[in-house]
Amino acid sequence: MRTGIATVCLSGTLKEKMQACAIAGFDGIEIFEQDLVTSPLSPEEVRKMAADLGLGLDLYQPFRDFDGVTPDLLKANLRRAEAKFKLMSRLGMDTILVCSNVATATIDDDELRASQLGELAELAGDHGVKVAYEALAWGKYVNDYEHAYRLVEIVDHPNLGTCLDSFHILSRDWDTAPIEKINADKIFFVQVADAPKLSMDVLSWSRHYRVFPGEGQFELAKFMGHVVRAGYTGPVSLEVFNDVFRQSDVERTAVDAMRSLIWLEEQSAKWLESNATAAASEQKAASRRRYPMELATLPKVNEPAGFNFAEVKADDTAQLEKLLGQLGFEFEGRHRTKDVQLWTMGQARVIINEQAAQHAEPAIAALGFDVDSPVIASARAQQLKAPVVARKVQADEEVFQGISAPDSTEIFLCQGSPDGTAAWTHEFGEGLEHPGSDVSAVIDHVNLAQPWQHFDEAVLFYTSALALEPQPFAEVPSPSGLVRSQVMETSDGSVRLVLNLAPAQQAQTARKTYQEHIAFAVDDLVATARSAHTRGLEFLEIPANYYEDLDARFELEPEFLATLKELNLLYDRDANGEFLHFYTATVGSVFFEMVERRGNYDGYGAPNAPVRHAVQYDSLHRS
Ligand SMILES: O=C(O)c1ccc(O)c(O)c1
Ligand SMILES: [Mg+2]
């Protein structure tokens, strides 16, 4: 698959964008007109730079408001087009995108449109240019890709084809299956963009909220499957208008973009395999290469089976040790060569890492996941351009395959075991065989705060590298704004990550006010809370108003309600079951949560999240 990206996706100057695209490994780019017009580089210099960087200049765009106009306007439009064709010849480019008219079209007549597009194609032919006609979702008369293609068919000129843009097609819910009926020679270009499902006008949605494939909710693998089945072999190019990407680090965004295409390519191949038509499978039997477009695959991974460990890091670890002890964790010993400690409760393993920078406040530093094969999982992550984390190991020590997540949490791919134990624990203390007390406890979920400019990147990272499934995002009210919250989990819930986006105001204060937490699931939360209370644990104090509201909503047994209130426990219930939980006070940027899931409760106590945010906000501003 030939990969591409439109310069409009990225921040910076045209030169910076082109360099970043080359570093990220794109085959070609779409030059967005604005980027050229505002560049100090001459067209010849751009052409040379692209050649030097090994980047194809695959599409010049956009050319707006051409068709369905009065004769006067047509004349002016053809003149304008010719100027661009001449420019393209200096750039060494041969394909231009012409969008359906949104502003100046006054005549809704396909015959007229076809004759005008025919004139454009003829002129383009004189300059060796190919016109890719694209139906914008908000086009005045042409806003449907099948309509745009009908016009291309009517004109029937070698220099006129169509451009398929997933956003314009999927935002309008157009059926993608008819793409297969399009003559592949007439598909001059394919653009891909994902988006969250939002209910708003489609123009604003397109201009501000597009994201890279895998970061939104569109069925892009299916879209691409139909494109591949149509026989298309040209560039598959990202065209993502996004306010955040346009102000983020250009090289990093380009890598995120490339990751999305590598992942989409694999997903498209997968979609084709599981949606093979009878004809296609016969063809498959006949030859291994079923379609003209070759789709690369990746090392395959299953979703992780569980958390292997969580690691918190601090310069002064005393507070962390105290908290874990009060929660009922046992200190299992120090590592034989590294300055790290192992604490366990049942199968929940927490590493306290003392190798932090001076004065570094406690923070979540790493997460380990149980995978079938750490080597295969690591190979996959690296092919998806995840940065590798280097860890020093001595002889006889478990070699951890590590990658760095977008928020720089280190992710370790560990060998899972059927009984939930971890092979590396013997490196601690006196050579523990199977540490862990007789209580049953596991890591239930981990909640990570994401910097605003890396949230979408994180969703794609965990989806593509770890095979976690993103759930629809929610917005949780907090005293300093709505917190965007997105759950990423395995189908059986054995790994649950919650990504939270701190309100911008919080990210801007000098003090690191965002908080992250690790939640442990136990069988008897009330008993766990009572023991923790006896050991002097400082609970997050829940306001009395909360318990009144709880009673109003759930009509709880008075005794049970009194216990919840006494122990600062939170409660939720839905059709599947019940959820009890409590939070500790925060040390540095970390706090812990203890939960008990009853029945098949599958959530996170979302109705209680605003209470937690408010209490934490209050305690921060009091201290
Ligand atoms: O938002 C626009 O105007 C616009 C321009 C060119 C495109 O290819 C597109 O998909 C949208
Ligand atoms: Mg487009």
Side-chain angles (χ1 to χ4, degrees), residues 170-198:
L170 298 171
S171 64
R172 298 289 305 258
D173 261 334
W174 304 133
D175 183 8
T176 48
I179 290 175
E180 290 185 30
K181 290 188 287 198
I182 299 180
N183 174 358
D185 295 338
K186 291 291 178 193
I187 306 176
F188 283 0
F189 209 77
V190 169
Q191 294 174 321
V192 284
D194 203 342
K197 293 232 164 111
L198 301 172

Side-chain angles (χ1 to χ4, degrees), residues 429-444:
E430 307 296 293
L432 297 157
E433 279 308 316
H434 286 292
S437 47
D438 47 5
V439 285
S440 126
V442 293
I443 296 177
D444 182 87

Side-chain angles (χ1 to χ4, degrees), residues 155 218 227-228 367 480:
V155 176
F218 283 168
V227 167
V228 172
L367 297 173
S480 44

